[in-house]
Each structure stands twice: as structure tokens, then as C-alpha cells.
């Protein structure tokens, strides 16, 4: 075994629901929604087509879709029940199921589009190693910037210049690449460039035998705000549904690091990297708590059990290093208000970002329970 290689089996616990998108978004006619059981059934497309064909329903199904320009109003489950089919009849073409945990008006018999989660061949959701490594990378860069004030100030100045450029997205992308090349690469004696994070290998986080059956939940995206408007509604339910890993789920993964490579930037262990990620998470939480703490204090208390955020719906502060480049929060707020106003003009950031940018906190809502989306805990269990 390589004496320089440190390899550990780690545990990832979802403190709150986590959505790792597969990139597939299903319309209401591409899944079944059983309103009575509050369950969503995802289809095996090939077997679903065979089922329709063998029961001589393919033409009628196509006609139903043709009559409904607004697909969000189509409930295929009810259509099948009207044809006399039971839940057992549908087992042959159901790939996996998920439980709806979002409040839905009784007047609406369907959901909207659903963004599906990443799953393996048997339908179990998992967290790709690439997602975890990206989060670890952010934590490492945050640590390096915090321990190099001169470099941090230099990049801060360059970022402010980028915010004033004509092509904002391109300028910030170039700066992001420059930061990574400066902090996470080195040249050897022959002038060859080596990327230090090549010395960090992260496997997929899988449930394995810990899950009795594939389980996922469907949640609606909810934004909490400091602005309630005339209706005094501080939570805005958006027409977007996500298939999520439920809170309490546990996964195992292997993380390996080449100590000789990562010691070049002062990293001595995997536990240290987890600590960097927690520090970055706390930076974002502290900023948000100053604004949202009075209304959502319980959520911030719960977040102390986590080490990081993963997946979609975790908010701008938990994904971007831009805010942490500033030594002064006031200056950061002014610059980022301008950035968000340019990037998302329709969101009215210039008017509504009076307390914090961005002005919303991302929530996972199940009944009366509210959590922050994407909270996760990382632990080293034993040597691999």
C-alpha cells in the first residue's frame, strides 16, 4: 500500500432533505400521482409503452395528451383508474415510488413538473462523488483564502472589477478558474503543472444495505423571506417539485487523499477538510442568521448538527465564495446587490435586498416542519 495514501470509509448523513438533480424533469403525464395515497410513481418508459400497446390504449392516450395543451392538468393515474386498472396492474411498469410531503390544494388534482433525483440501477437515490468533491473543493479554497489575507484581498479587487465588466458571467467564470489555478495547482522542477485535487478521490455515497427499500420524497420548493407584503406571507411556494433524499438517510463512501500532494497546501487529513467545509457553511449561516434568525431561529439551531450543504436549493451563500472574499460585510452587501440586480433583473433585488443578498432562505417544508434544504453531516468511520 502507498504510505502516502490515506483512505477512509466515511458516513454522510442527510440532516435535512437533499436534492441532487439528475437533469431529468418530468411533466404530469410522465409519472403517476396517486392523490389518495400521496404517492408518486415513476415509470419505466419501455414497459409503460408496452402496457399501453398491449391494452390498446396507445392511441387514446395520445389523444388525451393532444386535447390538453396544459399538461400540468393531466392526472394519468385517474385516467387509468377510470379504465378499471388497479395499483397492482401498474406494478409491471413502475420503476420506483416516492412519497409526497408537500401541501397540495384539494382543488388541484396534479403536481407540476418534477425534477428527479440521481438514482442507481435499482432505483435508490444516492449522492455522486463529484457533488461531494465539489463541496470539499469549495471548503478547501475557503480555508486557503482565509489563511492568506493578501491573496484574498487581491482576488476581492479582481472580483469587484469583474462585477463592473460588460460580460459579467464570462468575467466571473474566468476569475473562478484563476482562483483555482492559483490556489490548487503547482509546477514541478520541469515546469509541469499539477492539479492538487487530483490527490483527492471521492467515491459515490451509497445507501447499500442500510436502506430496506428505495425511498424518496417529493417536496415543493419554498423560499422564506423578510418581506411578507400586504398578505403577510413570508413563505413563497414555488411551482417546482423536487425528488429528494429524506432527512435522516445515511450513506457510506470512500475518500482517499495523497498526503504528499495535499500537504503542499497545508492539508494533513480528511477530517481537516471536513472542518474547512464546516467553517465555510458557518460563514454563510452567520450572515443569514443576522437577518432570518428571529423568524427562523429553530432552523439555525438544527443546522449546527451539519457540516455542509449539498445539492440544489441551498442558496447563493452556500455555493459561492464571492461573499467570503470581502473583509467587510457592508461592502460585500453593496457589491452583491449590484451583482444580483444585473444577473436577475426580474427578481427586483435592487428594491427588496434591504437586509441581505440574496433575500431568501431556502426551505424544505413537510407539513408543519420546516428545515433548510441540503444540510449534511460528514464523519470518518474507519480505515478503508
Amino acid at each position: 500500500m502507498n504510505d502516502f495514501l490515506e483512505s477512509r470509509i466515511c458516513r454522510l448523513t442527510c440532516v435535512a432533505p437533499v436534492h441532487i438533480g439528475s437533469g431529468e424533469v418530468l411533466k404530469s403525464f410522465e409519472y403517476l400521482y396517486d392523490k389518495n395515497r400521496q404517492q408518486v410513481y415513476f415509470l419505466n418508459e419501455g414497459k409503460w409503452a408496452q402496457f399501453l400497446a398491449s391494452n390498446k390504449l396507445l392511441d387514446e392516450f395520445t389523444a388525451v395528451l393532444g386535447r390538453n395543451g396544459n399538461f400540468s392538468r393531466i392526472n394519468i393515474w385517474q385516467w387509468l383508474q377510470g379504465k378499471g386498472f388497479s395499483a397492482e396492474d401498474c406494478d409491471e411498469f413502475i420503476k420506483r415510488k416516492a412519497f409526497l410531503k408537500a401541501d397540495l390544494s384539494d382543488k388541484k388534482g396534479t403536481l407540476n413538473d418534477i425534477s428527479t433525483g440521481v438514482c442507481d440501477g435499482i432505483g435508490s437515490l444516492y449522492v455522486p462523488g463529484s457533488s461531494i468533491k465539489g463541496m470539499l473543493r469549495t471548503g478547501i479554497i475557503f480555508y486557503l483564502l482565509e489563511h492568506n489575507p493578501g491573496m484574498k484581498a487581491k482576488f476581492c479587487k479582481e472580483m469587484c472589477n469583474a462585477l463592473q465588466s460588460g460580460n459579467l458571467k464570462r468575467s466571473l467564470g474566468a476569475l473562478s478558474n484563476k482562483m483555482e489555478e492559483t490556489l490548487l495547482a503547482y509546477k514541478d522542477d520541469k515546469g509541469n503543472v499539477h492539479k492538487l485535487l487530483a490527490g483527492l478521490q471521492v467515491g459515490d455515497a451509497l445507501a447499500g444495505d442500510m436502506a430496506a427499500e428505495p425511498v424518496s420524497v417529493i417536496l415543493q420548493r419554498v423560499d422564506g423571506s423578510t418581506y411578507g407584503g400586504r398578505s403577510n406571507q413570508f413563505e413563497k411556494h414555488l411551482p417546482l417539485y423536487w425528488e429528494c433524499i429524506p432527512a435522516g438517510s445515511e450513506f457510506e463512501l470512500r475518500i482517499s487523499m495523497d498526503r504528499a500532494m495535499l500537504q503542499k497546501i497545508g492539508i494533513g487529513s480528511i477530517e481537516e477538510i471536513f472542518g474547512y467545509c464546516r467553517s465555510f457553511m458557518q460563514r454563510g449561516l452567520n450572515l443569514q442568521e443576522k437577518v432570518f434568525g428571529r423568524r427562523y431561529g429553530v432552523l439555525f439551531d438544527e443546522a449546527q448538527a451539519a457540516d455542509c450543504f449539498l445539492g440544489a436549493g441551498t442558496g447563493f451563500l452556500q455555493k459561492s465564495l464571492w461573499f467570503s472574499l470581502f473583509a467587510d460585510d457592508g461592502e460585500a452587501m453593496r457589491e452583491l446587490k449590484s451583482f444580483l440586480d444585473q444577473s436577475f433583473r426580474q427578481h427586483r433585488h435592487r428594491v427588496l435586498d434591504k437586509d441581505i443578498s440574496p433575500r431568501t432562505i431556502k426551505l424544505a417544508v413537510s407539513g408543519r416542519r420546516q428545515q433548510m434544504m441540503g444540510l449534511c453531516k460528514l464523519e470518518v468511520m474507519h480505515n478503508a
Side-chain angles (χ1 to χ4, degrees):
M1 181 177 178
N2 187 345
D3 292 336
F4 294 100
L5 186 66
E6 175 181 326
S7 189
R8 301 284 186 267
I9 299 299
C10 302
R11 178 166 55 206
L12 171 69
T13 303
C14 298
V15 177
V18 175
H19 172 65
I20 308 291
S22 67
E24 181 180 36
V25 178
L26 301 178
K27 296 187 178 298
S28 63
F29 68 89
E30 295 177 304
Y31 60 84
L32 305 182
Y33 167 51
D34 184 343
K35 184 178 179 181
N36 293 329
R37 297 185 183 182
Q38 291 292 281
Q39 292 184 359
V40 173
Y41 305 110
F42 296 102
L43 310 178
N44 180 309
E45 294 180 1
K47 293 182 178 180
W48 167 238
Q50 290 176 8
F51 172 85
L52 291 174
S54 62
N55 288 280
K56 299 181 179 179
L57 291 172
L58 190 57
D59 289 342
E60 185 174 346
F61 177 69
T62 303
V64 168
L65 297 184
R67 290 195 300 268
N68 291 270
N70 187 348
F71 294 138
S72 65
R73 296 178 182 176
I74 301 174
N75 188 314
I76 301 303
W77 175 254
Q78 293 178 353
W79 178 73
L80 287 172
Q81 284 186 311
K83 296 294 179 185
F85 294 101
S86 66
E88 290 73 20
D89 295 326
C90 299
D91 284 342
E92 62 181 274
F93 58 80
I94 290 176
K95 182 166 55 177
R96 67 182 187 279
K97 65 182 178 181
F99 295 91
L100 179 67
K101 295 295 183 180
D103 293 329
L104 190 67
S105 170
D106 290 336
K107 296 179 181 179
K108 185 176 175 64
T110 63
L111 305 178
N112 289 353
D113 296 355
I114 297 178
S115 175
T116 64
V118 174
C119 65
D120 60 20
I122 63 171
S124 295
L125 297 189
Y126 71 97
V127 183
S130 57
S131 297
I132 300 170
K133 185 171 181 178
M135 178 270 299
L136 299 179
R137 165 195 168 276
T138 300
I140 291 171
I141 293 178
F142 174 79
Y143 158 78
L144 294 174
L145 289 170
E146 289 296 292
H147 288 78
N148 193 331
M151 185 71 69
K152 179 177 176 179
K154 175 179 176 295
F155 283 128
C156 181
K157 183 177 180 179
E158 292 188 31
M159 186 194 68
C160 291
N161 292 334
L163 292 176
Q164 304 302 319
S165 68
N167 193 326
L168 183 62
K169 183 176 181 180
R170 180 177 180 180
S171 298
L172 288 177
L175 179 57
S176 180
N177 292 335
K178 182 178 179 180
M179 287 172 58
E180 184 164 353
E181 291 171 0
T182 302
L183 296 170
L184 298 178
Y186 77 98
K187 288 185 179 181
D188 59 23
D189 296 337
K190 297 180 180 179
N192 297 317
V193 177
H194 299 269
K195 295 184 177 181
L196 293 170
L197 285 194
L200 183 66
Q201 303 296 322
V202 182
D204 294 336
L206 305 171
D209 296 333
M210 290 184 285
E213 61 174 312
V215 175
S216 61
V217 296
I218 305 296
L219 295 177
Q220 187 174 11
R221 177 176 166 181
V222 180
D223 284 353
S225 175
T226 59
Y227 179 74
R230 294 181 179 179
S231 62
N232 205 36
Q233 294 293 321
F234 291 89
E235 283 86 38
K236 183 177 182 180
H237 291 68
L238 304 177
L240 179 62
Y241 290 83
W242 285 334
E243 183 186 17
C244 300
I245 301 168
S249 300
E250 294 185 350
F251 301 86
E252 288 189 4
L253 69 152
R254 180 197 296 262
I255 300 179
S256 302
M257 60 174 281
D258 186 320
R259 291 197 298 270
M261 288 187 69
L262 294 181
Q263 281 175 356
K264 294 180 181 296
I265 50 176
I267 297 175
S269 69
I270 294 169
E271 289 90 343
E272 287 181 18
I273 299 176
F274 290 173
Y276 306 155
C277 295
R278 183 175 181 84
S279 295
F280 175 67
M281 180 194 77
Q282 289 295 331
R283 166 68 169 164
L285 286 176
N286 290 341
L287 290 166
Q288 289 182 301
E289 189 170 13
K290 292 176 183 178
V291 176
F292 296 104
R294 179 176 297 180
R295 184 170 185 82
Y296 299 103
V298 175
L299 276 65
F300 288 94
D301 292 339
E302 181 184 49
Q304 297 306 308
D307 299 304
C308 62
F309 284 88
L310 275 174
T314 55
F316 174 81
L317 291 174
Q318 300 301 338
K319 290 184 176 180
S320 171
L321 284 159
W322 303 130
F323 208 112
S324 59
L325 289 177
F326 292 92
D328 177 74
D329 288 350
E331 182 186 4
M333 190 67 63
R334 290 189 296 272
E335 292 291 343
L336 289 176
K337 280 182 180 180
S338 176
F339 162 65
L340 291 169
D341 186 57
Q342 292 180 61
S343 301
F344 308 100
R345 294 183 183 278
Q346 72 276 19
H347 291 182
R348 300 171 63 216
H349 286 280
R350 188 184 301 278
V351 176
L352 297 172
D353 283 339
K354 297 179 179 179
D355 299 312
I356 191 171
S357 291
R359 63 184 176 85
T360 58
I361 184 172
K362 308 303 180 181
L363 304 176
V365 180
S366 177
R368 294 185 177 180
R369 186 181 185 187
Q370 294 181 339
Q371 295 178 284
M372 292 184 190
M373 277 290 296
L375 286 169
C376 291
K377 182 177 180 61
L378 285 165
E379 303 168 274
V380 173
M381 297 175 65
H382 53 77
N383 293 340

